[in-house]
Amino acid sequence: MTTTVPGIPAARSAIEALGPAELLHRLRVLRSSVEDSPITHVECVAARVGRTTPWPSWVPQALREAYGFQPWEHQAAAASLAHAGQHVVLATGTASGKSLAYQMPALSSLLADPRARVLYLSPTKALAADQLRALVRLGIDGVRPATYDGDTPREEREWVRQHSRFVLTNPDMLHHALLPGHARWGPFLRRLTYVVIDECHTYRGVFGSHVAHVLRRLRRLSTQYGSTPTFVLASATSGDPADAATRLTGLPVVAVTDDASPRGAVTFALWEPPLLPPETPSQVPTQRPTPAPAAVPATSAAFDGVGDGRARRSALSETADLLADAVVAGTRTLAFVRSRRGAEVVAALARRALEEAVPGLGDRVAAYRAGYLKEDRRALEQALLTGELLALASTNALELGVDLVGLDAVLICGYPGTRASLWQQAGRAGRAGGEALAVLVARDDPLDTYLVHHPDALFGRPVEATVLDPANPYVLGPQLCCAAAEAPLRPADLPLFGPTAQIAVDALVSSGALRKRPTGWYWTHQGRPDVDLRGTGGTPVAVVEAATGRLLGTVDRGSSHVMLHPGAVYLHQGTSYVVEALDLDDAVALVHAEEPDWSTHARDVTDLSVVSVREYVDAGPVGLFLGEVDVTSQVVSYQRRRIGSGEVIDTRPLDLPARELRTVAVWFTISSKALLAAGVEPGDVPGALHAAEHAAIGLLPLVATCDRWDIGGLSTADHADTDCPTVFVYDGHPGGAGFAERAYATAEEWLRATREAIASCGCDTGCPSCVQSPKCGNGNNPLHKRKSIAVLDAVLAALHPRIGPARAAAEA
């Protein structure tokens, strides 16, 4: 007798393997019982034949034999530039063999010169571990590759320093260990020949700005030890990779972008979870509201609430069912989920459904995310590679580079924020050159809704340029302190750090952080500067089981107020825990296992004041501004909501410290008279502005390489600093991350897309697909969808005559 569960075909004694087209057809049929087809668009990307070329003459025979095949044209082109001493970035698609492009010159130099050394930088430990396995498989004598990261035992670190000629590490370890301990790394730095920066498109925003200065510090110390290494960068396809790589390294970089690798056909579907009949009980969205920089959204509900009484199936539930369908079909699948908790939920729901369909099959699905211990991560990677696991629900920790051979399909639960990441994730399937299926499952979110109904915004546009700002004073100042702590800053060093370095040094001298001497500027304190590259707010908070002392995982400090407040529900490997206490001083949260029938949702209050205005557009009744602001936010309470109905059980107060942020914002003002003329009555102004603010935040990633969780917002019917109704959108990082500047530069395109996303949504009064926000600290109240369209119409009508012609002239 077979068992059937919703969304999963009857269990069979043998799992049949399906191709991408057949699997997509089956998924479509499985959802045909719902009133509307969930597939809004199918894009078929044709297969491509590869173009090989002979090995460059300078590549040693031993290396050619170790590979056993000819390189693709783009690999040889980038490698030859690097071999000639030209800094180069190779920006081609996923699975295009970028590793060979930097391995060729790097390993050739190690074979030709026994003193040469190579430093490889990866944004993730998983990618570095994968690259190490690839180097070891080559079996080349004398290279001695080794990883040097937070997982490397202390007893092994000395061996790596003294003996490894190909060190694989990450920017954090370079910043915290290698550069401060440069005296011990002196022989390595003296012989440094190549610096490889893998997946360099990930270095954006505040993190990218910090990494840019870490690389400048590396260049400064390498020069002091007598080496001038060549930089070789690998990137996903991106807008203007040469300019981005130049800003990242501070060096002139040449780009190679003509991808000559073969590619299997890709079937790419856009999937919108359907609305269910009105009588279906709906739940309130369970994402946690928070100020920027916000924690990732977390939800375990089966449905997301919709403002007009209709319920739309949540992206997490839909992805879990698709994952289960794929496993039953024998399709090796990777599901990318935006949040750590979301990955846990998708895996748990898929396992539960599979166990009901085919007992034991649920064991072939697991979650994968940052915060797991090293041993757990490596075991999961190995299980997927061997086929012991058929599916993983992962955060973007597996987006980059790791060679997951044999995957047939990728499910992307929610737009990952940039087209570069979208294609990077989709490219994880079909890596052996075979056909592949990719499905983007839209969240109830303005941007996701817009994209699944405007496929040209995904498939007909170039990939975004990387946004980073090394001149950010909140990045530059601390990095100059780090440089001075490593070795006194000399006047000749300052141009390396940019045109504003002298101003920053003078400010540091005035504050007492640096001391001026005839020979340069010196760090004045005993310890090293405490600088967090990733902008997560400092030391991660350890999640510890109170009864046993067992470390379950970690949460970045910036998210801890929302995810680990006393009483919060925390998920780990599908098990629920409730937080007993949060000690921010010791960075520890104590939890106990519990399966409550409620979920938790933090609530915050935010205040904003304008510090200065950098630029503005005077459009009569409307003003558009870019400037510095001070933001104060505090998580003050949390709600407990019943799982299954969304009923609010109670609201409990919290006593957590306020967090202050000076950052960059873009904002627009509109006069009360203009609002009245647009039909927005005074009583409707707060809800109209609030709805416009939410949608504008949701659509900003369309024009800037950011995530909605990187930014925050505030709207008010009468702001003290503007004396007008005002909508603010601000970067959620000290000093800004370049996102507000991008919003200001593309304001008309951004706000027009915002208006269209709201107007085209089929709900009556507002829903998560248009104006509701998963991180609203006010519980999405008040909101006025229809009047927000009127506000945006009035703003666009005033702005277009002022910025439209100027933009057109600039583009011409």
Side-chain angles (χ1 to χ4, degrees):
M1 179 177 176
T2 59
T3 303
T4 302
V5 296
I8 300 181
R12 288 154 292 179
S13 58
I15 298 175
E16 68 172 329
L18 302 176
E22 293 131 314
L23 178 61
L24 182 61
H25 174 71
R26 171 166 294 186
L27 295 178
R28 188 198 302 264
V29 170
L30 285 170
R31 301 292 174 253
S32 63
S33 59
V34 186
E35 62 181 28
D36 298 315
S37 170
I39 298 175
T40 62
H41 179 78
V42 176
E43 186 82 6
C44 295
V45 181
R48 180 181 63 209
V49 178
R51 307 189 306 274
T52 61
T53 190
W55 285 97
S57 59
W58 48 266
V59 177
Q61 186 62 33
L63 191 55
R64 305 183 196 191
E65 293 173 355
Y67 285 111
F69 54 80
Q70 283 190 317
W72 308 116
E73 289 178 358
H74 64 276
Q75 294 171 326
S80 295
L81 287 167
H83 177 72
Q86 170 66 60
H87 310 294
V88 63
V89 57
L90 177 60
T92 51
T94 309
S96 59
K98 291 186 282 287
S99 298
L100 179 59
Y102 58 73
Q103 288 174 3
M104 243 193 283
L107 295 176
S108 294
S109 72
L110 297 183
L111 289 172
D113 179 3
R115 295 171 56 84
R117 299 290 186 270
V118 174
L119 181 67
Y120 167 94
L121 298 175
S122 159
T124 66
K125 295 176 184 177
L127 177 54
D130 183 74
Q131 289 297 304
L132 177 63
R133 288 191 290 266
L135 290 168
V136 170
R137 281 196 300 267
L138 289 174
I140 300 173
D141 292 336
V143 173
R144 300 188 294 275
T147 54
Y148 187 85
D149 57 32
D151 291 338
T152 306
R154 294 204 170 272
E155 58 271 18
E156 291 183 17
R157 295 185 182 187
E158 185 62 29
W159 184 93
V160 174
R161 252 194 317 270
Q162 293 184 4
H163 301 290
S164 177
R165 301 179 63 212
F166 199 123
V167 174
L168 301 98
T169 187
N170 53 61
D172 305 85
M173 205 67 176
L174 182 61
H175 164 65
H176 288 294
L178 197 150
L179 295 179
H182 63 85
R184 288 174 294 168
W185 285 87
F188 184 91
L189 293 172
R190 189 173 296 115
R191 301 163 184 171
L192 187 57
T193 307
Y194 286 99
V195 175
V196 177
I197 306 174
D198 207 354
E199 306 290 3
C200 67
H201 63 282
T202 62
Y203 300 123
R204 59 183 178 86
V206 170
F207 180 43
S209 302
H210 274 295
V211 172
H213 286 297
V214 171
L215 296 176
R216 284 156 175 78
R217 286 159 51 199
L218 172 64
R219 288 174 51 206
R220 183 175 81 112
L221 291 177
S222 297
T223 300
Q224 291 182 12
Y225 281 96
S227 67
T228 54
T230 299
F231 282 70
V232 186
L233 301 93
S235 169
T237 304
S238 63
D240 203 354
D243 178 69
T246 295
R247 283 185 285 116
L248 183 64
T249 62
L251 295 163
V253 180
V254 172
V256 174
T257 58
D258 184 11
D259 192 340
S261 65
R263 181 185 63 200
V266 179
T267 301
F268 204 134
L270 303 183
W271 188 290
E272 184 177 41
L275 290 171
L276 298 179
E279 63 270 14
T280 301
S282 114
Q283 285 189 349
V284 180
T286 61
Q287 289 96 336
R288 304 171 180 271
T290 180
V296 288
T299 175
S300 57
F303 304 102
D304 290 333
V306 177
D308 58 357
R310 302 297 302 278
R312 186 181 296 281
R313 202 136 193 275
S314 79
L316 291 182
S317 297
E318 196 82 348
T319 301
D321 275 1
L322 292 174
L323 191 63
D325 293 341
V327 169
V328 171
T331 305
R332 294 181 64 182
T333 306
L334 181 61
F336 284 106
V337 189
R338 297 289 297 269
S339 72
R340 293 182 178 190
R341 184 171 180 177
E344 298 276 7
V345 168
V346 167
L349 292 176
R351 281 196 298 260
R352 186 183 309 156
L354 287 167
E355 282 300 315
E356 294 179 17
V358 187
L361 196 56
D363 293 337
R364 304 192 71 179
V365 179
Y368 183 104
R369 61 173 175 82
Y372 282 180
L373 301 179
K374 172 188 175 182
E375 296 76 14
D376 295 337
R377 296 196 307 270
R378 299 294 175 264
L380 289 168
E381 293 165 18
Q382 188 62 26
L384 187 63
L385 289 170
T386 60
E388 180 184 344
L389 286 175
L390 267 178
L392 277 183
S394 172
T395 60
N396 63 359
L398 284 179
E399 175 181 323
L400 305 174
V402 180
D403 193 9
L404 301 175
V405 178
L407 289 180
D408 303 304
V410 164
L411 306 174
I412 304 170
C413 182
Y415 182 61
T418 66
R419 289 182 291 279
S421 288
L422 180 75
W423 286 107
Q424 191 80 356
Q425 292 182 3
R428 307 307 283 152
R431 290 179 70 83
E435 293 186 2
L437 171 67
V439 181
L440 172 62
V441 181
R443 295 172 301 160
D444 246 349
D445 172 276
L447 180 58
D448 284 37
T449 302
Y450 178 86
L451 291 173
V452 295
H453 292 286
H454 296 80
D456 286 349
L458 289 176
F459 302 112
R461 301 182 64 177
V463 174
E464 308 90 345
T466 303
V467 175
L468 60 100
D469 180 18
N472 180 338
Y474 288 86
V475 173
L476 177 57
Q479 287 292 334
L480 287 170
C481 289
C482 291
E486 291 154 5
L489 278 169
R490 315 294 184 193
D493 295 332
L494 296 188
L496 188 65
F497 295 94
T500 60
Q502 183 66 63
I503 297 172
V505 165
D506 292 341
L508 293 169
V509 171
S510 298
S511 68
L514 297 184
R515 181 172 298 153
K516 180 73 168 66
R517 294 286 189 235
T519 53
W521 293 273
Y522 289 73
W523 174 241
T524 58
H525 302 282
Q526 286 292 105
R528 294 182 49 246
D530 183 13
V531 178
D532 176 18
L533 295 190
R534 296 177 184 266
T536 54
T539 306
V541 176
V543 183
V544 176
E545 190 172 31
T548 64
R550 181 168 64 103
L551 176 65
L552 299 178
T554 60
V555 171
D556 66 82
R557 185 173 290 265
S559 302
S560 62
H561 289 226
V562 169
M563 296 184 69
L564 296 176
H565 62 75
V569 177
Y570 174 79
L571 273 184
H572 179 76
Q573 285 283 39
T575 301
S576 293
Y577 296 84
V578 174
V579 178
E580 297 178 3
L582 172 61
D583 187 332
L584 292 171
D585 292 332
D586 291 336
V588 173
L590 298 178
V591 303
H592 66 267
E594 185 179 337
E595 293 288 341
D597 64 350
W598 38 264
S599 57
T600 53
H601 311 264
R603 297 172 70 86
D604 71 277
V605 294
T606 301
D607 187 36
L608 181 150
S609 60
V610 175
V611 177
S612 65
V613 174
R614 290 186 189 173
E615 301 179 50
Y616 71 95
V617 174
D618 183 353
V622 170
L624 178 68
F625 300 84
L626 176 71
E628 286 77 31
V629 297
D630 281 336
V631 182
T632 302
S633 60
Q634 184 176 19
V635 175
V636 295
S637 63
Y638 70 98
Q639 287 183 341
R640 297 192 306 162
R641 297 179 187 166
R642 190 82 62 191
I643 293 175
S645 68
E647 173 196 356
V648 176
I649 301 171
D650 56 21
T651 299
R652 300 190 171 191
L654 290 170
D655 183 19
L656 291 172
R659 291 179 289 183
E660 297 181 351
L661 173 73
R662 175 162 292 187
T663 186
V664 180
V666 58
W667 66 94
F668 66 79
T669 62
I670 180 169
S671 70
S672 298
K673 184 181 293 186
L675 287 173
L676 271 175
V680 183
E681 300 295 328
D684 295 330
V685 170
L689 296 178
H690 195 192
E693 172 216 327
H694 282 180
I697 290 172
L699 269 292
L700 184 55
L702 187 67
V703 298
T705 53
C706 67
D707 186 283
R708 75 177 298 161
W709 302 91
D710 289 328
I711 49 184
L714 182 141
S715 56
T716 174
D718 184 15
H719 193 271
D721 294 329
T722 65
D723 293 323
C724 285
T726 308
V727 172
F728 293 90
V729 175
Y730 58 85
D731 289 359
H733 300 278
F739 307 138
E741 285 94 335
R742 180 66 179 162
Y744 180 83
T746 60
E748 187 174 14
E749 176 189 358
W750 167 43
L751 295 177
R752 197 169 298 284
T754 300
R755 188 260 182 217
E756 185 173 346
I758 300 172
S760 62
C761 184
C763 72
D764 290 336
T765 59
C767 69
S769 294
C770 55
V771 299
Q772 290 183 1
S773 169
K775 61 175 187 170
C776 179
N778 295 316
N780 285 298
N781 184 48
L783 292 175
H784 200 308
K785 174 185 174 180
R786 186 166 50 85
K787 296 299 185 181
S788 71
I789 299 172
V791 169
L792 291 167
D793 280 340
V795 170
L796 287 164
L799 286 178
H800 179 70
R802 304 303 303 268
I803 63 178
R807 182 68 38 77
E811 291 175 354

